[in-house]
Amino acid sequence: MPTLQWSDTLALGLTQMDDTHHEFVDLLASVVNAADADLLPRWRSLIEHTDAHFGQEDRWMKDTGFSSTNCHTTQHKVVLQVMREGDTRGSAGELTVVRQMAAELGTWFPMHAQAMDAALALHLRGLGYNPSTGQVSMPQALPAQAIQGCGGATCSPAESATEELTA
């Protein structure tokens, strides 16, 4: 089965985010290539990493004015819920379900990284946000109100989209 591999197309120019994404890709490859006896322990390692990975991004969004109800955070919650369901099904002997989920993650992740995470990385760089310390070097660039949706018109609530069209 083809495995997602790290490449420059996944790099977003934010070292801590890129390092975490690279780890995700490596762990996912480990799951995809696992023998049946190793599949669930590797899947669980991927879930643990992904929980911390998404939690980190969610904190960055909260710290810098992305709404806690934005679609990026919601997608994180849904993906983790599905991964945990995969663990439950795998524990019941349905290893093919875990393998299918791993394959789907390999398709989903590049799209997520190149859209939602790229927008977040751009936002964080625009604020001079230091992911290690949580410090913002350009606080004047923080949004006056929490960013709704994904930060773009295509994901914003209907009223925001209407306001943008009539402005």
Side-chain angles (χ1 to χ4, degrees), residues 89-165:
R89 303 244 338 243
S91 295
E94 297 181 65
L95 298 183
T96 56
V97 170
V98 175
R99 292 193 185 284
Q100 181 62 41
M101 286 182 176
E104 295 296 330
L105 281 172
T107 300
W108 166 81
F109 182 73
M111 293 182 292
H112 177 81
Q114 293 167 348
M116 292 187 176
D117 288 343
L120 176 58
L122 180 66
H123 169 74
L124 296 175
R125 283 192 308 272
L127 299 173
Y129 184 76
N130 182 325
S132 298
T133 65
Q135 296 297 310
V136 174
S137 66
M138 294 179 274
Q140 70 279 9
L142 285 166
Q145 296 180 355
I147 296 169
Q148 300 295 314
C150 295
T154 60
C155 253
S156 297
E159 57 275 359
S160 295
T162 302
E163 290 171 14
E164 289 173 352
L165 290 174

Side-chain angles (χ1 to χ4, degrees), residues 20-21 41 53 58 70 76 82 84 94 97 108 115 129 138 147 161 165:
T20 301
H21 286 175
H53 164 186
D58 292 345
N70 71 54
H76 286 169
V82 169
R84 289 183 177 120
E94 297 181 65
V97 170
W108 166 81
Y129 184 76
M138 294 179 274
I147 296 169
L165 290 174

Side-chain angles (χ1 to χ4, degrees), residues 12-30:
L12 301 174
L14 201 62
T15 302
Q16 192 167 344
M17 183 183 283
D18 288 340
D19 290 348
T20 301
H21 286 175
H22 197 163
E23 291 168 9
F24 175 88
V25 169
D26 289 348
L27 286 167
L28 181 58
S30 167

Side-chain angles (χ1 to χ4, degrees), residues 59-70:
R59 279 187 303 279
W60 295 342
M61 288 186 274
K62 184 179 178 196
D63 289 351
T64 62
F66 269 78
S67 170
S68 62
T69 59
N70 71 54

